[in-house]
């Protein structure tokens, strides 16, 4: 029961991150571009031929340092994620993991391996992004189960 509640809360949090709810809104209307990046984003959204390759693939856009949107509550939570050239480093209170990011443009797969053997139910998952500053990992979880955790991050720095 506790795990089901945890997964439901995590799903709601991921939904909020991916839908763009939360900080950084400033009450400004999206229809009033304030700079070149906003104009580029709007033209990429309006032109179907410009698609993901115009902004870069998820693998390209995910490069950098990421911080979890929720404070670590257990030893198996992830706090930070770093992605560079398809190589991934993830750390938490007691997790120290490395892995690789590879695959498709829309949902690349992430394979993670942690020191000490415990990966907190992760191992393999898919990466999704909303814009350039919200990243979520949907972990497959243990074989025969109902899925693993979902980790949500915001770009650090």
């Amino acid at each position: 029961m506790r795990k089901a509640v945890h997964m439901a809360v995590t799903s709601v949090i991921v939904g909020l991150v991916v839908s763009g709810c939360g900080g950084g809104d400033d009450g400004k209307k999206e229809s009033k571009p304030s700079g070149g990046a906003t104009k580029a984003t709007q033209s990429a959204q309006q032109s179907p031929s410009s698609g993901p390759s115009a902004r870069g693939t998820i693998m390209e856009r995910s490069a950098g340092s990421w911080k979890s949107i929720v404070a670590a509550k257990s030893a198996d939570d992830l706090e930070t994620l770093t992605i560079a050239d398809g190589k991934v480093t993830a750390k938490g209170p007691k997790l120290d993991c490395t892995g690789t990011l590879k695959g498709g443009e829309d949902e690349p797969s992430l394979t993670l391996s942690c020191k000490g053997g415990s990966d907190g139910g992760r191992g393999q998952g898919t990466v999704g992004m909303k814009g350039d500053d919200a990243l979520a990992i949907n972990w497959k979880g243990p074989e025969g189960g109902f899925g693993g955790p979902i980790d949500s991050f915001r770009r650090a720095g």
Side-chain angles (χ1 to χ4, degrees), residues 78 80-84 87-91 96-99 110 112:
L78 290 179
T80 62
L81 183 76
T82 305
I83 302 172
K87 299 204 183 324
V88 179
T89 304
K91 299 205 184 279
D96 185 7
C97 312
T98 57
L110 173 60
L112 203 61

Side-chain angles (χ1 to χ4, degrees), residues 92-107:
K94 293 205 175 186
L95 292 179
D96 185 7
C97 312
T98 57
T100 56
L101 179 67
K102 57 185 166 185
E105 287 183 15
D106 293 334
E107 288 189 340

